[in-house]
Amino acid sequence: MTRKEFREMIESRVIVLDGATGTNLQKAGMPTGVCPEKWILEHPQALIDLQKAYVAAGTDIVYAPTFTASRIKLEEYGLSDRLEEMNRALVALSKEAVAGSSALVAGDLTMTGKQLAPIGDLPFETLVDVYKEQARVLADAGVDLFVVETMMSLQETRAALIAIREVCDLPVMASLTYESDGRTLYGTDAKTAMVVLQSLGADVVGLNCSTGPMEMVAAVEQMREAATIPILAKPNAGLPQLEDGVTVYRMTPEEFASAGAALVRAGASVVGGCCGTTPAHIGALADVVKALEAPAVSSEKKRLLATERSVLEIDLDGSFLVVGERINPTGKKALQAELREGSLDLVCRMAEEQEENGAAILDVNMGMNGIDEKEMMLAAIEELTTASSLPLCLDSSNVDVLEAALRIYPGRALINSVSLESEKIDRLLPIVAKYGAMFILLPLSDEGIPATVEEKRGIVRTILERAYALGFTKEDIVVDGLTATVGANPDAALECFDTIRYCRKELGLATICGLSNISFGLPNRPFVNTAFLTMAIQNGLTMAIANPSQDLLMNAAFASDMLLHKPDSDIRYINRMQVYEKHLAEKEAVSQPVKKKAFVQENVSENEADAIFSCVLKGDKKHIVEKVKEALAAGEQPGDIISEKLIPAINDVGDKFEKQIYFLPQLIASASAMQTAIEHLEPLLARGEGEGETATIVIATVEGDIHDIGKNLVVLMLKNYGYNVIDLGKDVAAETIIAVAMEQNAQIIGLSALMTTTMMRMKDVVELAKEKGCTSKIIIGGACITESFAQEIGADGYSADAASCVKLVQKLLA
């Protein structure tokens, strides 16, 4: 099926997907702890009967049972050498099940369970290769389309989508799973996922698993705000509950169908069922939605950039935006020196300062002699995606550098820039299209700077024609006004204003310009730059590349917005003045050291001002040992550093995580930084120093479950608090857990489960503990686990995440 045919099918009616596979195969006899794909191949009729039932119920698309048949997943069962054989056979079973019907078969890919660098040790390109290997086999086996589902990481979803697109041009649906707070485990919200994935070439984007159907309505509505492609919703049959020792989903087919209709009305064009749903649920859903019209998919694009966790809209009638220009080594000797040493400390500080001073986007340029520009650009992206919440403008004259940067950037970037120069228009423009970025159109050609305004307009039109032919729209493009020097060309400002007006009024395009060129060679340049900026804004300039630490410039921009009566500009101006007054106070404090100290104490806690505390807060694993050594040299005791700096710092990180100021990447980075410091301090601690004998905690992912991301973070956090943690790994039998706990006199047993099909193994551990007389307190957690489930199985506690697990352990031990 072509992508065009797939889109036409979705626009013609609401598409119904199949329901749960795992929970239904368990009912058919599949035990926990086995490789699901291997069991299916040994019991093919169970899968065929289930999928035939779905087709009879009204399913339009069934998912081939290749969910965890990637090399990484199959390696856990010693089956990686059978990848091609197994994937082909599994697709053949689904094709047999749909034979004689119009139902399609989707090749199914999911997360690997490994964490991408820099949080984990899995390189992005290795992951792309893993997905590409499986996708190639599935395409050759004859799947009609692909689905990438139950994803927690947006970056991992990007890797799968890139892999599929580099293998074939079949339709791709991408679906993430969200927590109750509306974000994935890694902090991505539904709108951000839509922006990034539809730009990268997904044909459908949505969500699955997560929750029951009504809880998904808000996420679907959020996606619809940015969507120009259809939306998918594949919810569970409510939340799992315990009934007579068995995990059940109590939502009836009729209730599920009614809620499914609400999802369609919210904007979902593709609906189905996940955990707990049966052919009866899908049949009821199909009966209800066939009477509904397919939701209209908006053709109105917006100018949207994105990080991994947020979206920035560029509105022609909205606030003027500043692209921070500081991360560029040209003319900056200190930055050049750091980059040659491989250090990005100054880059991160520049990012933080520019964000604080009002930049909306960060321009990142690593072009200089004496370094590998590509490697440094990739390293800078890796650092900046955690150090700043702002989207990036990737800036280089080297096409290869920009291609590598676009491949790994986990959001939707702005590219600086594409001109009519041969290499840029022929090589770079298709690359920008492949990765779905926005780009700055620079009106230059191989002949150089245009000599006249008309020539400049002609270059703009030519680049637009080439871009539109590749699928870009005007919302993907920002035109550079190409500011010349007024000292050399008295009409430079007027010509730039002409370009801004032409692009804004006649072409409907956003515009940008660099400010510093206009005043080159003139005295007191900030006055010229500021006057030029205010006039450019009045002429319709959308954004400028500038230094946001220049108060005169920034204040004038905010004031200009207010005088032009842009939405909320008065409040923004007032807020800006508060920042400005803070800057004035800081400058005054610099000239008066006593006052500076008072100002710091008033605005920054004593802990936050401490270098070690700050390293934990920022996840600065690189420098924390150096800061610890400095503290030791100054006479501080190892135990005091842990109790007075490291522990308070990780507590602060936990609080920020709970308040959604921090997300999983920051939590892991901070915990890793703290662990690095503790590993250095432990040999220096005197025997008996600290709080005496520490509690022993045994932790494991239960039998049949091979997911351990959350469990590993809990282990790391508890170790940082000084507990003796025994990590038994994943897929651990109840007998092993209890035996180790009793042998080690563990005060706490921690159990993790991600899947509803394995959560009942937690009850096995609780019951075995009672039978064996094990006195350890048992705590549980995981994506599918709830407080009520913990109470029903007799566990001693439940925690939703690593930060709250520490508090739970402290409470139980107290």
Side-chain angles (χ1 to χ4, degrees):
M1 168 168 278
T2 68
R3 297 173 68 187
K4 183 174 182 292
E5 291 168 341
F6 185 58
R7 180 63 176 263
E8 290 171 350
M9 183 180 83
I10 295 176
E11 289 176 346
S12 69
R13 67 183 192 279
V14 177
I15 300 302
V16 178
L17 304 172
D18 60 11
T21 298
T23 50
N24 286 302
L25 291 182
Q26 279 198 319
K27 293 177 184 176
M30 183 177 74
T32 57
V34 301
C35 173
E37 290 77 15
K38 185 173 182 287
W39 187 89
I40 290 169
L41 292 176
E42 293 169 348
H43 305 82
Q45 203 58 46
L47 186 279
I48 292 170
D49 290 345
L50 176 63
Q51 293 196 329
K52 279 187 173 181
Y54 280 133
V55 172
T59 291
D60 297 300
I61 301 173
V62 300
Y63 289 6
T66 56
F67 184 68
T68 53
S70 67
R71 184 203 322 157
I72 289 176
K73 284 293 188 181
L74 290 177
E75 276 175 354
E76 297 178 358
Y77 299 101
L79 296 169
S80 59
D81 59 330
R82 295 182 57 191
L83 182 147
E84 181 170 354
E85 166 207 340
M86 292 177 70
N87 276 276
R88 286 185 179 277
L90 292 164
V91 171
L93 292 180
S94 290
K95 291 174 79 69
E96 181 180 343
V98 304
S101 74
S102 60
L104 305 175
V105 174
D108 192 352
L109 279 66
T110 191
M111 58 187 176
T112 63
K114 301 288 186 182
Q115 291 188 72
L116 279 169
I119 298 173
D121 56 7
L122 180 64
F124 182 79
E125 211 54 48
T126 299
L127 181 60
V128 172
D129 289 341
V130 166
Y131 283 129
K132 196 180 291 187
E133 178 182 34
Q134 187 183 10
R136 187 176 290 114
V137 173
L138 293 174
D140 290 344
V143 297
D144 300 294
L145 70 154
F146 281 88
V147 60
V148 182
E149 62 149 327
T150 323
M151 304 297 284
M152 296 181 182
S153 162
L154 180 60
Q155 183 71 323
E156 193 167 346
T157 312
R158 287 185 71 255
L161 184 51
I162 289 170
I164 295 167
R165 282 281 166 260
E166 291 181 349
V167 165
C168 65
D169 198 36
L170 291 175
V172 182
M173 304 188 296
S175 175
L176 287 83
T177 181
Y178 295 86
E179 304 290 309
S180 58
D181 61 6
R183 292 181 178 270
T184 68
L185 187 64
Y186 288 78
T188 303
D189 63 87
K191 184 177 180 179
T192 298
M194 173 58 75
V195 169
V196 173
L197 297 174
Q198 73 177 3
S199 301
L200 195 57
D203 298 280
V204 176
V205 171
L207 65 165
N208 75 287
C209 203
S210 308
T211 61
M214 290 309 298
E215 292 83 359
M216 282 189 175
V217 169
V220 170
E221 290 173 341
Q222 192 181 80
M223 285 187 177
R224 201 175 191 184
E225 294 174 9
T228 56
I229 59 173
I231 299 170
L232 175 156
K234 204 171 191 277
N236 296 335
L239 294 174
Q241 299 187 27
L242 195 62
E243 213 171 75
D244 298 327
V246 178
T247 304
V248 298
Y249 290 84
R250 291 176 176 164
M251 180 171 274
T252 66
E254 293 73 26
E255 291 170 337
F256 184 80
S258 176
L263 287 170
V264 173
R265 288 190 288 269
S269 304
V270 182
V271 293
C274 205
C275 299
T277 57
T278 66
H281 288 86
I282 299 305
L285 177 65
D287 287 342
V288 168
V289 301
K290 68 183 178 184
L292 302 175
E293 286 189 13
V297 178
S298 175
S299 59
E300 181 183 347
K301 288 190 67 173
K302 297 179 179 179
R303 295 170 177 84
L304 300 171
L305 297 176
T307 67
E308 194 172 5
R309 292 181 284 278
S310 63
V311 171
L312 172 70
E313 181 170 3
I314 300 170
D315 187 348
L316 293 185
D317 298 313
S319 303
F320 179 78
L321 303 176
V322 170
V323 180
E325 69 178 8
R326 296 289 296 152
I327 305 175
N328 186 326
T330 304
K332 300 182 182 74
K333 291 182 179 180
L335 179 56
Q336 290 173 9
E338 284 212 3
L339 293 179
R340 286 195 180 97
E341 294 174 0
S343 172
L344 291 166
D345 294 349
L346 185 53
V347 167
C348 291
R349 288 201 299 276
M350 286 177 166
E352 292 170 2
E353 289 168 3
Q354 290 184 107
E355 183 171 359
E356 180 183 343
N357 289 331
I361 303 164
L362 295 177
D363 187 84
V364 183
N365 184 306
M366 294 287 118
M368 59 173 277
N369 295 326
I371 65 170
D372 184 325
E373 183 186 354
K374 183 192 294 185
E375 291 305 312
M376 194 59 72
M377 175 66 87
L378 299 183
I381 291 172
E382 189 174 282
E383 290 284 338
L384 291 172
T385 50
T386 55
S388 173
S389 63
L390 301 183
L392 301 186
C393 176
L394 305 174
D395 184 359
S396 177
S397 58
N398 188 315
V399 173
D400 293 334
V401 170
L402 289 176
E403 180 174 20
L406 280 171
R407 193 168 178 85
I408 66 134
Y409 182 61
R412 189 185 190 213
L414 177 65
I415 290 299
N416 188 6
S417 56
V418 176
S419 67
L420 198 53
E421 295 164 295
S422 299
E423 186 175 21
K424 295 295 185 71
I425 196 72
D426 295 332
R427 281 195 62 208
L428 180 56
L429 190 60
I431 291 169
V432 178
K434 172 182 176 178
Y435 293 102
M438 293 180 66
F439 72 90
I440 295 173
L441 186 161
L442 185 64
L444 294 176
S445 69
D446 288 326
E447 283 69 43
I449 298 173
T452 66
V453 169
E454 277 308 316
E455 184 184 351
K456 188 195 288 188
R457 290 185 177 190
I459 293 173
V460 170
R461 289 192 296 268
T462 301
I463 297 175
L464 289 177
E465 289 172 7
R466 295 283 295 271
Y468 294 158
L470 288 173
F472 288 101
T473 67
K474 67 180 187 294
E475 290 81 15
D476 301 318
I477 302 165
V478 182
V479 178
D480 192 321
L482 199 61
T483 311
T485 301
V486 75
N489 175 10
D491 290 327
L494 298 176
E495 290 171 357
C496 185
F497 298 155
D498 177 86
T499 301
I500 293 168
R501 288 193 303 270
Y502 171 68
C503 291
R504 169 68 186 272
K505 296 183 182 301
E506 296 188 35
L507 302 179
L509 295 167
T511 53
I512 190 171
C513 68
L515 297 180
S516 56
N517 276 357
I518 195 70
S519 63
F520 183 77
L522 295 174
N524 294 315
R525 294 177 64 186
F527 295 112
V528 180
N529 294 343
T530 302
F532 172 72
L533 175 63
T534 58
M535 296 167 117
I537 292 173
Q538 196 278 330
N539 277 277
L541 184 67
T542 315
M543 61 180 84
I545 300 175
N547 182 353
S549 67
Q550 296 178 352
D551 288 330
L552 178 63
L553 197 74
M554 295 297 290
N555 293 346
F558 279 79
S560 297
D561 274 358
M562 182 173 64
L563 294 175
L564 291 170
H565 197 199
K566 293 184 179 181
D568 301 322
S569 57
D570 51 352
I571 302 300
R572 293 181 70 248
Y573 177 77
I574 292 169
N575 292 338
R576 171 65 195 178
M577 287 303 99
Q578 292 173 345
V579 172
Y580 176 57
E581 288 167 5
K582 176 184 175 184
H583 286 177
L584 289 180
E586 289 173 343
K587 288 177 182 177
E588 183 182 352
V590 168
S591 62
Q592 300 180 45
V594 175
K595 289 188 177 181
K596 180 180 180 181
K597 183 178 180 182
F599 181 82
V600 169
Q601 288 177 340
E602 181 179 326
N603 289 274
V604 180
S605 73
E606 183 178 345
N607 276 333
E608 288 175 336
D610 180 82
I612 296 173
F613 188 99
S614 178
C615 282
V616 175
L617 218 58
K618 296 178 180 179
D620 188 354
K621 189 175 179 179
K622 189 186 304 181
H623 297 101
I624 195 166
V625 171
E626 173 190 335
K627 300 304 178 184
V628 166
K629 288 179 179 178
E630 290 175 2
L632 292 169
E636 295 188 43
Q637 296 301 308
D640 292 340
I641 293 173
I642 292 174
S643 62
E644 296 175 11
K645 296 182 177 182
L646 294 176
I647 295 294
I650 204 68
N651 284 340
D652 194 6
V653 169
D655 290 341
K656 285 179 166 60
F657 181 76
E658 288 182 1
K659 295 172 183 175
Q660 295 187 38
I661 299 170
Y662 277 12
F663 299 99
L664 184 65
Q666 291 102 321
L667 184 62
I668 292 176
S670 293
S672 297
M674 180 175 174
Q675 182 184 38
T676 301
I678 287 178
E679 287 173 354
H680 180 78
L681 289 168
E682 276 182 335
L684 306 177
L685 289 170
R687 185 179 299 275
E689 184 180 350
E691 298 181 1
E693 187 176 346
T694 59
T696 295
I697 304 172
V698 171
I699 293 186
T701 301
V702 295
E703 185 175 12
D705 202 314
I706 56 174
H707 301 89
D708 62 358
I709 292 175
K711 184 266 297 176
N712 291 343
L713 181 54
V714 169
V715 169
L716 181 58
M717 289 286 282
L718 289 173
K719 282 184 175 179
N720 282 347
Y721 278 81
Y723 296 112
N724 175 32
V725 182
I726 300 172
D727 182 3
L728 298 180
K730 55 192 176 184
D731 189 15
V732 185
E735 291 78 9
T736 301
I737 295 170
I738 297 303
V740 172
M742 295 180 72
E743 179 183 329
Q744 299 294 327
N745 295 315
Q747 287 93 329
I748 303 278
I749 295 172
L751 304 176
S752 173
L754 179 73
M755 303 183 296
T756 57
T757 53
T758 59
M759 59 193 290
M760 284 309 300
R761 302 290 73 77
M762 291 178 163
K763 185 182 180 188
D764 296 345
V765 177
V766 172
E767 291 179 345
L768 187 61
K770 292 177 181 176
E771 178 186 324
K772 297 290 186 180
C774 177
T775 58
S776 306
K777 300 286 187 183
I778 298 178
I779 60 176
I780 65 174
C784 58
I785 308 303
T786 63
E787 180 76 51
S788 62
F789 178 75
Q791 294 171 356
E792 288 174 24
I793 68 171
D796 296 290
Y798 156 79
S799 69
D801 51 60
S804 60
C805 183
V806 172
K807 294 179 180 179
L808 174 61
V809 168
Q810 291 170 335
K811 178 182 176 182
L812 289 175
L813 292 176

